[in-house]
Structure formats: C-alpha cells, structure tokens
Amino acid sequence: MSTTAVSTPATTATARPATPASTATSASRSRDDFAMLPPVDVVEDAQGITLYADLPGVAREQLQLRVDGDQLVVEAEMRLDMPEGLRTSHAEVTSQHYRRTFQLSKELDADRISAELTQGVLQVRLPKAAHAQPRKIEVRLS
C-alpha cells in the first residue's frame, strides 16, 4: 500500500480567531484564510482511494468539488438556520466555510473521480489509473 497517493499540504487554510490586529487586515485576506478544515478519513485499496469528509450542515447545492491541476479541492458552505423566534446565545462554530485541498499523485485517474454526499458525509472515490493498478501477468510454457 502506498500512502503518498494523496497528501494534505501543510499550508492548507485553517480557522483563525479574529483579533483586533487581524481585523484590520481581514479585508485584504481571502475567505480561504478563515475556512474550517473538515476531518477526512483516507482509505486505500487495490483499485484506488476513498476519502470520507465530515461536512455537517452542508447541502448538496452548497458543495463544490473540483480538480485544479494536480489538486483536489473540496469547498462547502454550511447553513445554520435558526428557527423563527429563537436567537443564538452561544455559538462555537462561527465560520461557515469549509475548504480542504489534496495533492493528487500521477497514479490516480482524475477524470474518473466520483462523489456522493449522504447525511453530512462526503464520500469521494479516486480510482487508480490503469498503469498503477495491479495486474496479473500470464506465464506461458515453451
């Protein structure tokens, strides 16, 4: 098993608390600087890699999955709708934007990536390219 097929760069955006100094420069920063990093499980088998990303509160319409060069980018907006007549007195989740990037190896076939969102869990299937899959070699008798 190869563990280098998908990796997360150390420079991936993480959630940062707002401080008076950072508030002054927040207009110049992109919204990616304040994105939440969803937890992801990575499972590899002989045919490829499957990612399971926890995206609670994300609707299908608010999810964007794309391949940009050799990176897989997952972005999503979460909606925390309050019932009418209620107001928030305490909120532990203030950012409503998820973002995570993965470096794709040449062993993966980016054209055949598939994804499914079920009850807040995004499942992304990254199949291996034909040249990277195990194959049986026939031995002939002479």
Side-chain angles (χ1 to χ4, degrees), residues 19-39:
T19 62
S22 67
T23 306
T25 60
S26 64
S28 65
R29 291 186 182 163
S30 72
R31 64 190 254 170
D32 296 338
D33 289 341
F34 301 101
M36 292 184 353
L37 207 60

Side-chain angles (χ1 to χ4, degrees), residues 6 8 37-43 50-55 74 100 102 122:
V6 175
T8 55
L37 207 60
V40 176
D41 294 326
V42 180
V43 179
T50 304
L51 305 175
Y52 297 94
D54 293 335
L55 299 170
V74 178
R100 186 91 185 244
F102 299 91
L122 175 65

Side-chain angles (χ1 to χ4, degrees), residues 93-119:
V93 178
T94 56
S95 175
Q96 296 184 358
H97 182 73
Y98 290 107
R99 179 175 169 82
R100 186 91 185 244
T101 60
F102 299 91
Q103 189 73 34
L104 299 175
S105 81
K106 301 296 181 199
E107 294 179 355
L108 299 173
D109 188 350
D111 294 330
R112 294 187 4 214
I113 294 175
S114 62
E116 181 179 322
L117 181 66
T118 307
Q119 296 182 354

Side-chain angles (χ1 to χ4, degrees), residues 53-97:
D54 293 335
L55 299 170
V58 172
R60 164 61 192 99
E61 300 78 33
Q62 301 300 320
L63 176 63
Q64 190 178 73
L65 185 68
R66 68 181 186 278
V67 175
D68 188 7
D70 61 349
Q71 289 190 340
L72 174 68
V73 180
V74 178
E75 287 188 285
E77 293 291 329
M78 162 178 59
R79 295 209 179 180
L80 297 175
D81 296 329
M82 290 296 297
E84 191 173 322
L86 295 179
R87 66 177 182 83
T88 305
S89 62
H90 173 77
E92 292 187 6
V93 178
T94 56
S95 175
Q96 296 184 358
H97 182 73

Side-chain angles (χ1 to χ4, degrees), residues 4-18:
T4 59
V6 175
S7 62
T8 55
T11 59
T12 302
T14 58
R16 296 179 189 158

